[in-house]
Amino acid sequence: PRQEKDFLESISKAILEDNSLIFKEEVETGQYLLSGLGELHLEVVKDKLIEDGFDVRLGKLKIGYRETIREPVKKSLTLRT
């Protein structure tokens, strides 16, 4: 359909402007999945798509990777002048 083509063109434009976005279609569910750098990042893209006239809804966000500190690090640094 025409609306789907326009939607895919808008997503392609967003990806060209921001290469940290990852877009794919989930064949089993027919949903489009968009990955980014966090909730705010995805909200900005969603708002742009809504401005373009698309009905966009975000599902529950999933964190694919989380970095954490496992243990304290003790190091010393001496600067010579």
Side-chain angles (χ1 to χ4, degrees):
R2 177 76 183 152
Q3 188 176 13
E4 184 176 14
K5 182 182 177 203
D6 291 344
F7 175 74
L8 294 174
E9 286 176 5
S10 288
I11 286 288
S12 295
K13 181 181 174 185
I15 292 169
L16 285 173
E17 292 173 355
D18 183 352
N19 64 0
S20 64
L21 292 170
I22 299 170
F23 177 76
K24 66 179 181 178
E25 181 179 2
E26 186 64 42
V27 178
E28 293 178 7
T29 63
Q31 293 180 323
Y32 295 110
L33 303 177
L34 184 64
S35 301
L37 299 177
E39 187 173 356
L40 180 61
H41 189 216
L42 295 174
E43 285 286 340
V44 169
V45 176
K46 180 189 90 168
D47 291 345
K48 286 182 183 179
L49 291 170
I50 289 172
E51 286 176 10
D52 288 346
F54 299 104
D55 179 22
V56 179
R57 285 171 257 140
L58 295 181
K60 183 178 178 184
L61 298 178
K62 297 179 184 175
I63 299 173
Y65 175 80
R66 182 175 288 174
E67 191 171 335
T68 185
I69 299 171
R70 294 185 184 188
E71 58 187 60
V73 177
K74 296 182 181 181
K75 294 281 181 177
S76 62
L77 176 65
T78 304
L79 298 175
R80 297 181 187 169
T81 56

